[in-house]
Amino acid sequence: MSSSIQSIRQGRAAEARGDSAGALLHYTEALAAEPHNAKAWTRVGMIMVQLMKWQEAAEQLQLARHLDAEDAEAAHGLAVALFHTGQTAGALEQIDDAARLAPEDWRIAGSQAYMHAATEADPARTLALYRSWGERFADPLAAQARPFENDRSPGRRLRIGYVTADFREHSVAFFMEPVLANHDPDAVEVFVYSSGRADAITERMRAHVPNWHDVAALGDDALYELIRSHRIDVLIDLSGHTVGQRLFVFARRAAPVQVTWLGFMHTLGMRAIDYRITDGGVDPPGNERWYVERLFRVSCMASYSPPPDSPLRAEPPLLENGFATLISLNNAKKLTDPMLSLWGRILQARPTAQLVLMVQERNPQDARAQIEPRLARLGLPVERVLVSPQLPLREFMQLGHIADVALDTAPISGGTTSLHALWMGLPIVAMDAEEAAQAATARTLQGLGLGQWVARDADQYLATALALIDDPARLREHRAGIRQRMLASAPMDYRGRAAELERALRLMWANHLIGEPRYLHTDVDLDQALRECAAVGQPRAAPTLPRPAMTE
């Protein structure tokens, strides 16, 4: 065995232990012995991806691709690095090539669907890619499904399960903690299957759940058997196609009724998910055509629980500074070149204004090195753009003390970050859209009676931002009233949201017992639905409800 092969094997073993520094040492040894070893360059590049050192990753993976044009992993990693540095055309070219080289790799196919969805305002293309993912990787697993032996009594207490990696300091937790705290134990028995790392928020959420299972160490088959052993009636996915997801457990049909909610705004593409919980604002009638799963509408799809210890500054900072500060709080993956260029137009129109960008890197040096060359290429005044690395939640929630107006992204909008921004006292300028993932902030603003900040196009977005930063009195008025406005809104009616969710799950269960999707919103006569269930005999043999034909 050559020394380079031995060093690469040792590096992979170090990676498996989580020892990135040790792995890099072994890969460096391999390259010292064989400078043109494509696999060693790929591994170095992939570690840079894990460390969020995007520019270094791109350079090393470009070399790996030059040395081995058929390396799908290098193409995948390069696509991720280019995507995070705003080089979307190159990212799409690389991810499409990776998918061609490794059509059997479900991770690459998932990345391909996400990157196209995040950069192209084309819901039909998004549907086609995710449906292809489901047909190839998830739907075949349904053949393993066994008949269910759940008690078919219509009105009994339901056993519901949440599957997630995100019951921690994560956006999903801010939606879900008030739900867990307000579930009616007489209506539902709650199970949680958590596959994420734990933190203080995890422990707080755990206190609300009678049946909590840490399942990160379980494979999909073992988790499937555990859930089946608990005879869960309704199983709810809260991760979608994000890190830590367990979609292949759902694909095996772990419960009679399976639902996705909150964690992912695009279709999952797989037929084993029966419903997506949404509302008429996020998904107005007609949006059914963009999903494989069936839409179940509630009056308000989510709760919001703001982080504690989030003091509100009463005065907009521009009154003290003498200039306006705009801020982007969204994940840096959403910072497209057209969006940055639009923000550049705002800065050009107001020569004293400054812009704060939040990026994913963990230290200020890496943060600036990643974004500043891109800003210069797009013509933004780099000297008026402040770049911030990731911040702890407590510090993040104090950004309203330094910023005056938040700028939402397009085509993929903010979600929890937009609610956080409003809680900080910041007005938000957002772009309107049709698809849920693109319109989340717009629908939040409209639901709060702040639809005047939702723009139909780039020119109106520019005009709205300028009008806000030119009106300090309006900014002060917004800060004075926003928290009371939010507290009186549906997302912060925690008991109401939990009760409506339980009603929705009960109606989904009724559909299962009846054998057809008769109820697809909560504004129905629940007692009548339960009477209809009682009149139904044995369940149909098929484990899923009939579906309408899909259209492009």
Side-chain angles (χ1 to χ4, degrees):
M1 179 186 303
S2 70
S3 61
S4 59
I5 293 176
Q6 178 65 21
S7 294
I8 290 173
R9 288 186 176 179
Q10 291 171 334
R12 295 303 296 258
E15 279 193 74
R17 297 192 301 270
D19 179 10
S20 297
L24 283 173
L25 179 61
H26 288 300
Y27 297 141
T28 302
E29 292 171 350
L31 290 169
E34 190 179 346
H36 294 94
N37 188 306
K39 185 54 66 179
W41 282 115
T42 296
R43 295 314 317 150
V44 172
M46 295 306 292
I47 289 178
M48 292 300 105
V49 167
Q50 295 163 19
L51 296 175
M52 299 183 187
K53 294 181 179 290
W54 308 118
Q55 192 58 47
E56 294 95 323
E59 292 169 359
Q60 289 145 4
L61 291 165
Q62 282 169 339
L63 178 56
R65 290 231 68 197
H66 175 72
L67 294 169
D68 182 1
E70 301 301 303
D71 187 341
E73 184 178 26
H76 186 197
L78 180 56
V80 172
L82 294 175
F83 186 75
H84 280 86
T85 54
Q87 300 176 67
T88 54
L92 295 181
E93 179 182 352
Q94 291 295 324
I95 197 62
D96 289 346
D97 202 29
R100 176 188 63 79
L101 292 167
E104 75 291 344
D105 191 314
W106 63 269
R107 291 181 178 86
I108 290 176
S111 293
Q112 182 188 32
Y114 176 78
M115 288 185 191
H116 279 277
T119 56
E120 302 168 346
D122 185 353
R125 169 80 162 160
T126 298
L127 170 63
L129 286 168
Y130 278 116
R131 187 166 63 188
S132 173
W133 184 94
E135 290 172 347
R136 288 185 289 153
F137 304 110
D139 295 350
L141 296 174
Q144 302 179 23
R146 303 191 301 268
F148 293 99
E149 299 178 356
N150 300 52
D151 181 352
R152 290 176 54 80
S153 303
R156 66 170 173 81
R157 182 169 70 154
L158 291 177
R159 297 162 73 87
I160 65 172
Y162 295 108
V163 182
T164 182
D166 301 326
F167 279 179
R168 52 186 173 85
E169 190 176 303
H170 186 278
S171 57
V172 167
F174 297 105
F175 293 123
M176 283 303 302
E177 185 172 5
V179 174
L180 297 180
N182 286 276
H183 267 312
D184 179 359
D186 292 330
V188 294
E189 182 178 4
V190 178
F191 293 72
V192 163
Y193 305 95
S194 175
S195 56
R197 58 175 176 78
D199 59 17
I201 292 177
T202 308
E203 296 311 311
R204 207 167 64 214
M205 298 181 78
R206 190 194 301 263
H208 300 303
V209 178
N211 304 287
W212 184 288
H213 301 272
D214 292 309
V215 299
L218 296 184
D220 289 339
D221 285 330
L223 178 54
Y224 168 81
E225 294 297 342
L226 177 66
I227 295 171
R228 289 291 297 241
S229 74
H230 294 156
R231 296 193 177 185
I232 300 299
D233 301 306
V234 183
L235 190 66
I236 305 167
D237 157 64
L238 296 171
S239 293
H241 287 277
T242 64
V243 176
Q245 53 85 5
R246 306 304 297 266
L247 294 181
F248 294 129
V249 174
F250 286 82
R252 290 164 168 79
R253 181 58 68 170
V257 178
Q258 300 193 144
V259 185
T260 189
W261 185 36
L262 293 178
F264 196 73
M265 297 299 284
H266 300 294
T267 183
L268 302 190
M270 50 191 287
R271 295 178 64 83
I273 301 293
D274 302 303
Y275 301 99
R276 168 178 294 274
I277 297 176
T278 186
D279 61 39
V282 172
D283 282 302
N287 269 24
E288 286 83 356
R289 67 189 185 277
W290 307 133
Y291 299 96
V292 172
E293 52 270 65
R294 185 175 285 107
L295 299 185
F296 191 105
R297 291 184 176 86
V298 294
S299 64
C300 176
M301 72 173 288
S303 297
Y304 171 62
S305 176
D309 193 21
S310 303
L312 176 68
R313 176 173 174 166
E315 295 289 325
L318 66 82
L319 292 177
E320 179 180 338
N321 296 335
F323 58 84
T325 301
L326 304 122
I327 191 167
S328 167
L329 297 169
N330 288 343
N331 189 308
K333 291 186 292 186
K334 301 177 182 180
L335 301 182
T336 64
D337 282 2
M339 203 76 242
L340 290 171
S341 296
L342 176 54
W343 296 345
R345 291 174 61 191
I346 299 173
L347 296 179
Q348 183 180 22
R350 295 295 181 272
T352 62
Q354 66 179 16
L355 172 65
V356 179
L357 296 180
M358 304 294 296
V359 296
Q360 285 186 300
E361 284 72 20
R362 299 187 177 97
N363 65 70
Q365 294 76 22
D366 286 345
R368 288 193 296 271
Q370 189 276 114
I371 195 73
E372 285 186 351
R374 185 176 168 202
L375 299 176
R377 172 173 57 83
L378 294 170
L380 274 76
V382 176
E383 70 280 2
R384 288 195 282 139
V385 181
L386 308 179
V387 182
S388 172
Q390 289 181 327
L391 295 175
L393 180 61
R394 183 174 180 179
E395 295 178 32
F396 178 87
M397 291 303 299
Q398 294 180 13
L399 291 172
H401 293 200
I402 67 168
D404 299 293
V405 175
L407 300 176
D408 195 36
T409 48
I412 305 300
S413 75
T416 312
T417 51
S418 296
L419 290 162
H420 285 348
L422 290 167
W423 193 254
M424 293 176 198
L426 298 175
I428 307 173
V429 184
M431 200 80 77
D432 205 356
E434 179 181 11
E435 192 186 8
Q438 301 172 12
T441 300
R443 300 298 171 261
T444 294
L445 292 172
Q446 291 162 343
L448 289 168
L450 301 172
Q452 68 271 22
W453 299 332
V454 177
R456 63 180 176 272
D457 56 30
D459 288 341
Q460 188 178 18
Y461 187 107
L462 170 65
T464 302
L466 296 178
L468 279 168
I469 62 179
D470 288 344
D471 193 347
R474 190 178 188 186
L475 298 178
R476 183 193 294 116
E477 180 184 5
H478 174 72
R479 285 176 180 257
I482 185 56
R483 290 197 173 180
Q484 189 57 44
R485 185 188 291 257
M486 293 179 73
L487 287 167
S489 69
M492 297 189 75
D493 173 14
Y494 301 147
R495 290 187 179 180
R497 298 285 64 73
E500 186 177 32
L501 173 65
E502 290 161 5
R503 182 182 182 88
L505 302 181
R506 178 74 59 188
L507 289 166
M508 294 176 199
W509 180 244
N511 287 339
H512 168 70
L513 297 180
I514 294 169
E516 63 180 71
R518 192 170 299 178
Y519 307 109
L520 294 175
H521 56 83
T522 51
D523 188 20
V524 300
D525 186 334
L526 180 59
D527 291 335
Q528 175 63 28
L530 295 179
R531 286 194 293 271
E532 291 184 13
C533 292
V536 173
Q538 294 301 310
R540 300 182 179 187
T544 58
L545 294 174
R547 294 177 182 270
M550 294 298 300
T551 59
E552 292 294 340

